[in-house]
Amino acid sequence: MLLLTNSSSVNATSLLLQRVQVSSLAVILWSTKLASFLFYRALHVQEDARLESTLSTKSGVVFFWFISFVWGVISSLPHSLGIASSLEGDNNNIIGLYCGTILYIVGLFMESIADYQKWSWKQSNPGKLCRTGLWSISQHPNFVGNICIWTGIAIMNVPSLRWQLVPIACLSPLILWKFFLGQAEGSITSGVELAVKKYGDDPGYSDYIETVPLLFPDLKRLFAKK
């Protein structure tokens, strides 16, 4: 009986360490990928029209970095709370770890592929609207990928949290979804206004914004075409 108890304790501890390691690796991998891509893009583009007005004043710069800090804190809530939790693992933790990891991988690939497709398109088709690959089924597939990434990390960690902390951890994917939706709609940044100025004369632009979903692809219509 004592042997079984010790074995169960070892398995629970092993699952706890595994979850912390996987969650930490997920955050490090995504952070490294994003920082590398943004650094590479900054070296080549050297400007972002969406931020010109914001970064033109000291108050705008302070606001930008403050929002970036808050965004980082909120995004990492599931991971931060998860690695601080010492609750022992059970079957729910195993399922959460596997399901969260799968969703994270899907999101990471989607965000990475979307960024690559957009960058490649701009290099060979400057000034033209990208409607290829993932951008043909979503106006902002990179946003969708990011939402999946942090939802996956939340699913990894939520089963290990005390119930009082679960709503706090869930703020990450919910607020990110609301934030990205605001960006896509143009209520937070001037992205939509800039897009209209840039692509408004393109005869296919109106059809694109009317038929292609802002964020999540219409899977029913997508499979119906096939």
Side-chain angles (χ1 to χ4, degrees), residues 74-86:
I74 293 176
S75 297
S76 61
L77 278 174
H79 172 69
S80 301
L81 294 173
I83 62 175
S85 174
S86 59

Side-chain angles (χ1 to χ4, degrees), residues 49-125:
R50 297 168 299 179
L51 299 174
E52 282 184 355
S53 59
T54 301
L55 300 179
S56 62
T57 63
K58 291 183 179 179
S59 59
V61 171
V62 172
F63 176 75
F64 171 78
W65 286 112
F66 173 74
I67 292 298
S68 298
F69 171 76
V70 172
W71 176 78
V73 171
I74 293 176
S75 297
S76 61
L77 278 174
H79 172 69
S80 301
L81 294 173
I83 62 175
S85 174
S86 59
L87 293 183
E88 295 183 349
D90 56 20
N91 289 335
N92 289 332
N93 293 56
I94 297 174
I95 295 172
L97 180 60
Y98 287 162
C99 291
T101 301
I102 292 172
L103 183 58
Y104 169 85
I105 292 173
V106 170
L108 186 66
F109 271 97
M110 187 171 189
E111 183 184 56
S112 301
I113 292 172
D115 287 337
Y116 175 77
Q117 289 176 339
K118 186 71 169 286
W119 175 261
S120 298
W121 175 268
K122 286 186 173 182
Q123 301 312 299
S124 56
N125 302 275

Side-chain angles (χ1 to χ4, degrees), residues 5 8-13 15-16 19 85-91 93 159-162:
T5 302
S8 176
S9 177
V10 170
N11 289 335
T13 302
L15 179 58
L16 171 63
R19 176 183 56 76
S85 174
S86 59
L87 293 183
E88 295 183 349
D90 56 20
N91 289 335
N93 293 56
S160 67
L161 300 178
R162 300 185 186 280

